[in-house]
Amino acid sequence: PNLAAPAKRDAWPMASAAADHAPLPVAMEGALQDAWRADIGVGSHGKLLSGPIIAGGHVFAVDTSGEVNAYHLDTGDLVWSTQTVDASHEYQPFGGGLCWDADKLFVTTPSAEVVCLNAKDGTVVWRKALTAPSRCAPTPYKGVVYVLTTNNQLTALSTQDGASLWTH
């Protein structure tokens, strides 16, 4: 099979870059080199399950304790940091993931919640309890954020207010 022509990509807003999890090949100029480095938080036994994403001129990352950090894409400077797990909640020793859509970040937490953050300043927009924790990043598509939990349940939530649309 033939691959599609490489394309320039200015963002990587979710796991696998696109809602269909089938990104086109990425065009690159020059050799790879470090632009900057930053500590993105704590891992579970040294392992993070979800990688960072890039959108809106920022790099966003979540650690296994539920702390979300936003870094300036060009400089690596920390822009904001928000803890998404309330200290009163028990949580699993693994993190979830995050995705970006329309200046909102959707974060699955180790305390079995989805938290919607304002991507510009990290403030909480809404919070929704899940039936179980999620080990993977959510996927946004056309006003819906899809979340898979460890009990193999897929939940669809409204990106606007977190209202439950359906589960399977």
Side-chain angles (χ1 to χ4, degrees):
N2 295 328
L3 291 176
K8 184 175 184 212
R9 193 173 260 294
D10 294 327
W12 197 274
M14 65 191 76
S16 299
D20 64 3
H21 295 251
L24 296 173
V26 178
M28 294 182 48
E29 296 176 13
L32 287 176
Q33 60 186 19
D34 285 349
W36 50 265
R37 289 178 179 258
D39 181 352
I40 62 171
V42 216
S44 175
H45 307 291
K47 297 177 185 175
L48 289 171
L49 299 177
S50 181
I53 60 170
I54 300 169
H58 295 90
V59 175
F60 301 99
V62 60
D63 71 6
T64 59
S65 74
E67 184 172 329
V68 178
N69 293 312
Y71 302 91
H72 190 277
L73 178 60
D74 295 328
T75 65
D77 293 336
L78 182 66
V79 178
W80 55 259
S81 183
T82 298
Q83 178 52 256
T84 59
V85 176
D86 185 316
S88 67
H89 284 103
E90 288 189 33
Y91 63 90
Q92 301 293 318
F94 52 79
L98 70 170
C99 64
W100 178 96
D101 186 52
D103 284 331
K104 291 180 182 173
L105 278 178
F106 302 95
V107 184
T108 53
T109 73
S111 61
E113 292 181 307
V114 176
V115 180
C116 175
L117 302 176
N118 178 321
K120 294 186 185 301
D121 61 16
T123 56
V124 175
V125 177
W126 54 259
R127 179 181 296 270
K128 180 75 174 181
L130 297 169
T131 58
S134 176
R135 291 185 187 171
C136 58
T139 299
Y141 186 70
K142 294 185 178 184
V144 179
V145 63
Y146 300 90
V147 181
L148 182 63
T149 58
T150 57
N151 63 351
N152 206 28
Q153 184 169 12
L154 180 63
T155 300
L157 304 171
S158 164
T159 58
Q160 292 303 309
D161 58 10
S164 227
L165 301 174
W166 54 262
T167 59
H168 175 73

